[in-house]
Structure formats: C-alpha cells, structure tokens
Amino acid sequence: MPRFHVEIKVMPRAALLDPQGKAVEHALTELEFAGISGMRVGRAIKFELDSADKSSAENKAKAMCDKLLANPVTEDYSIATEEV
Amino acid sequence: MPRFHVEIKVMPRAALLDPQGKAVEHALTELEFAGISGMRVGRAIKFELDSADKSSAENKAKAMCDKLLANPVTEDYSIATEEV
C-alpha cells in the first residue's frame, strides 16, 4: 500500500482571541523585535500514513482532525499530503 | 515597509522521543485509524512581519527562533515567508 507523508496544522480560529499568540508576540517585542502583528500559535502534526491513494489519505486525515486532533469549536485545520 | 506572512514550524528533533506524538498515535489507533507511524507533534506559529525585504524577514524570523521560539537542544524549526 502506498505511504503518504501527512502534515496537519491546527490553528486557533481567526475570530477568537489567542492568549498564547499574544504572549509570544509581547515577549518578542520585549526582545526588540519590531513590526510583528497578528501572531497565532497552533499545533503542527506530522506522520506517515499507509493508504490506497492520495484522496483516501486526505479523507482519513480529515476524519482524524474531526474526531481527535482539532477542537471543532475553537480551531481550524489544514491538511497537506504527499506520497513518500 | 513591505509586510510578510511568516509561518514557522517547530518540531521535536527526529532523534528524540516525542511522548505527545506517541500518545496521539496511540489514541488514533484506538479510534480504529490504521497504518499510522512516526507521529510528531510540534508547534505552528503564524504572524505578519514588516521588513525591508524577504531575506531580512527570514533572518529576523530565524533570530526569533534562536532566541525564543525553539528550544535549541530538543527542537528543529523551519521558516516560510511570503510577501502579503
């Protein structure tokens, strides 16, 4: 069965406050980094997945996000798959 | 000054154990997702950065990783910048 490299980004939804992002942005500004705005901190998840084809790998990854990896109320996710 | 969208991924170094990744992989397997391996969980960081050009934006983002965003002992990072 073909193997795919899957990369998922789970980010706080744009309309919601992101306290962790705000804290990191503030800390970087204190370190004299200027010109930063709109910082958001989320999760990056990478793994290998055996699947029949690219579209089935994407569908499985989407189901994983819906069932476990992302909070449907507060987070959005994006999925990228690539055959290894 | 041009504005860049910066996206940083901070991941546990490949040679190190990633307990969070192992836990998520185990949880997904319990949920009947098969064929998963090598799961790693890291952080995805996105923000806008005002900078003179693309290469200076990348250098600033690299300095942010070295000074605050990544643990140099246990983590690797990758940076992508794109002019808005």
Side-chain angles (χ1 to χ4, degrees):
Chain A
M1 200 183 284
R3 172 164 288 192
F4 295 84
H5 182 74
V6 181
E7 201 172 306
I8 297 174
K9 277 175 281 189
V10 180
M11 302 300 294
R13 195 155 283 172
L16 298 178
L17 257 183
D18 174 20
Q20 192 183 0
K22 277 284 164 219
V24 172
E25 186 174 319
H26 178 76
L28 286 169
T29 306
E30 292 287 309
L31 286 170
E32 319 265 316
F33 289 104
I36 302 169
S37 60
M39 181 161 287
R40 316 288 287 174
V41 178
R43 296 188 298 289
I45 303 166
K46 298 183 183 186
F47 56 97
E48 316 297 323
L49 179 61
D50 297 332
S51 200
D53 53 41
K54 190 175 165 74
S55 92
S56 80
E58 275 171 9
N59 287 338
K60 279 186 204 170
K62 188 172 178 313
M64 291 177 200
C65 289
D66 292 333
K67 288 196 180 167
L68 185 79
L69 300 177
N71 179 336
V73 179
T74 61
E75 294 175 323
D76 288 317
Y77 58 82
S78 62
I79 296 168
T81 61
E82 193 184 343
E83 189 160 355
V84 176
Chain B
M1 198 180 287
R3 174 164 287 192
F4 295 85
H5 181 75
V6 181
E7 198 172 307
I8 297 174
K9 275 174 281 190
V10 180
M11 302 299 294
R13 195 153 283 169
L16 298 177
L17 256 183
D18 173 18
Q20 193 183 358
K22 276 284 165 217
V24 172
E25 186 174 318
H26 179 74
L28 285 170
T29 306
E30 293 286 309
L31 286 171
E32 321 265 314
F33 289 104
I36 302 169
S37 59
M39 179 159 290
R40 317 288 285 174
V41 178
R43 296 188 299 289
I45 303 168
K46 299 183 181 185
F47 56 97
E48 316 297 324
L49 179 63
D50 297 332
S51 199
D53 54 40
K54 190 176 165 75
S55 92
S56 80
E58 274 171 8
N59 287 338
K60 279 186 205 170
K62 191 175 176 314
M64 291 176 200
C65 289
D66 292 334
K67 287 195 181 167
L68 184 79
L69 299 178
N71 179 335
V73 178
T74 61
E75 295 175 322
D76 288 316
Y77 58 81
S78 63
I79 295 168
T81 61
E82 192 183 342
E83 189 160 356
V84 177

